[in-house]
Amino acid sequence: MPLIDDDHSFLIVAQGAEYRGTTYTVVVASSVETQRQTVSTVSQYLLIGFPVLLLVVGVAGWLMIGQALRPVERIRSRVQGIGSRDLTERVPVPETRDEIARLAVTMNEMLDRLETGQATQRAFVADASHELRSPLATLTAALEVIEADTSGKAWRELRQVMETETDRMRQLVEDLLLLAKADDTGIRMRPTDVDLDDLVEAEIKRLRSSKPELTVKGDVHPVRVTGDPARLSQVLRNLVDNAARAAHSTVRLTTSEHDGVAVITVEDDGDGIPEEERQRVFERFVRLDTSRSRASGGSGLGLSIAREITRAHHGTITLTSAPNGGTTATVTLPS
């Protein structure tokens, strides 16, 4: 209950208590004015101190965040300065082994991949231009000869040459488009049941008729897979054509099935491929020797296309030494 005297107001609280059998009355009194002054003082301190404390915490947080994000800003500025023409620069990696350092490492790995892809693309364009230049030069020269000849004899003599070069250009353009699609969206497949033995038998007949000077052997067993028959036939044709160009006298084709895997082999008795080159020959426009030169009709794309199509069928293609010293190309497909 509050009591008021002449000078002060008091708040008095009385409470009964018992101690050792005796009852006491405890009276507590507090000045109301003192409580008001205390509350007022605390309020003033809070009004002044809280904004100051908030400002100090904000400035400290801003400085700490700025210090923490300074490596991110360095990475951002470096990435902004990297152009598409020069991908050799890399972002700085901070020494702190934290998320920012891992971000910098990841960005450098991405730049490595972009640089490799750009170099591959430039080489691809340069090689394609080089391949197209040769038949174009042949056609241009033939047309100049035909134009200068008024008797018409040159046309009859050069017609076959021009048709051959035109067909070569057409095949090269189709191969380039196929590889471009494989790099972009993957090779489109029309899967169905395919009898590999029928495809191999067809290639054996074709090779015997087109290369009568070669001995073509076959050990063909019934094997069925799910795939695109046109694409698988293209794989076989590329391998068979390579083997025919490299062979001295014999080409051998086989089909078999082992543990749910279909196996096709194309073997020649040529000079063989060195072990260190057996992976490189799958790169585009790679030729190793005269038997696989441009003059013999090869563009250096056959094995690249065969590998892309085989991968699209979830299979593999490898090159090994043949027992007779040549090369054996082995294609495996899930049956």
Side-chain angles (χ1 to χ4, degrees):
M1 57 176 292
L3 296 179
I4 302 176
D5 60 8
D6 295 338
D7 299 323
H8 298 87
S9 297
F10 292 92
L11 179 62
I12 301 175
V13 178
Q15 179 69 39
E18 185 176 348
Y19 179 72
R20 294 182 179 181
T22 304
T23 301
Y24 299 91
T25 299
V26 179
V27 180
V28 178
S30 175
S31 173
V32 175
E33 186 64 27
T34 301
Q35 290 182 351
R36 290 176 179 174
Q37 292 178 356
T38 302
V39 172
S40 176
T41 302
V42 172
S43 300
Q44 291 177 0
Y45 285 157
L46 288 176
L47 289 175
I48 298 174
F50 183 74
V52 174
L53 179 62
L54 186 61
L55 178 62
V56 171
V57 171
V59 172
W62 181 77
L63 293 175
M64 293 177 64
I65 294 175
Q67 181 69 22
L69 294 180
R70 191 168 291 117
V72 177
E73 175 61 23
R74 287 197 295 266
I75 293 173
R76 187 203 63 80
S77 60
R78 180 65 62 85
V79 171
Q80 187 178 22
I82 297 176
S84 60
R85 295 183 178 272
D86 184 13
L87 295 176
T88 58
E89 295 188 25
R90 296 294 180 266
V91 300
V93 180
E95 298 180 356
T96 59
R97 299 180 179 178
D98 55 3
E99 290 79 1
I100 297 178
R102 290 195 291 272
L103 172 64
V105 171
T106 302
M107 294 194 69
N108 285 334
E109 292 175 349
M110 179 190 67
L111 290 172
D112 290 337
R113 293 191 296 270
L114 290 175
E115 183 182 7
T116 301
Q118 185 187 66
T120 303
Q121 184 180 22
R122 287 178 176 176
F124 182 76
V125 173
D127 291 335
S129 301
H130 183 69
E131 291 293 331
L132 290 171
R133 187 181 300 144
S134 177
L136 283 174
T138 302
L139 291 172
T140 302
L143 288 173
E144 291 176 354
V145 172
I146 292 172
E147 184 179 5
D149 181 27
T150 58
S151 65
K153 181 179 179 181
W155 164 249
R156 291 190 296 271
E157 293 178 349
L158 295 176
R159 177 180 178 180
Q160 183 62 39
V161 175
M162 296 179 68
E163 288 178 352
T164 301
E165 292 300 315
T166 302
D167 185 69
R168 179 178 162 195
M169 288 182 59
R170 177 191 60 77
Q171 186 61 49
L172 179 59
V173 170
E174 289 179 356
D175 291 345
L176 292 174
L177 288 174
L178 176 63
L179 290 173
K181 290 179 180 179
D183 292 339
D184 187 18
T185 60
I187 300 176
R188 292 185 178 182
M189 314 298 294
R190 295 179 179 178
T192 185
D193 289 339
V194 182
D195 291 321
L196 292 181
D197 50 302
D198 292 343
L199 298 182
V200 173
E201 289 285 1
E203 284 301 312
I204 291 175
K205 293 178 181 179
R206 181 186 69 87
L207 187 59
R208 283 174 177 170
S209 62
S210 62
K211 299 285 186 179
E213 69 277 10
L214 292 178
T215 300
V216 183
K217 299 180 179 180
D219 184 12
V220 182
H221 301 277
V223 179
R224 174 170 289 188
V225 299
T226 299
D228 189 322
R231 295 304 186 190
L232 292 175
S233 179
Q234 188 174 8
V235 171
L236 280 173
R237 177 158 298 193
N238 290 348
L239 295 178
V240 169
D241 287 344
N242 277 358
R245 283 193 292 266
H248 295 316
S249 62
T250 305
V251 175
R252 185 170 182 266
L253 287 78
T254 68
T255 61
S256 59
E257 184 176 359
H258 304 285
D259 299 328
V261 177
V263 181
I264 306 172
T265 63
V266 180
E267 179 184 321
D268 65 70
D269 62 346
D271 297 330
I273 299 176
E275 184 176 358
E276 63 274 10
E277 300 286 354
R278 290 173 190 167
Q279 290 298 323
R280 196 171 74 88
V281 293
F282 287 103
E283 298 176 7
R284 298 165 187 181
F285 299 105
V286 171
R287 303 182 186 90
L288 297 182
D289 50 39
T290 55
S291 66
R292 294 172 173 82
S293 64
R294 186 182 296 107
S296 62
S299 63
L301 295 176
L303 288 178
S304 299
I305 292 173
R307 182 173 62 176
E308 294 294 341
I309 295 175
T310 304
R311 285 178 175 174
H313 285 82
H314 308 289
T316 61
I317 179 171
T318 57
L319 300 177
T320 56
S321 295
N324 55 5
T327 301
T328 299
T330 303
V331 178
T332 61
L333 299 168
S335 61

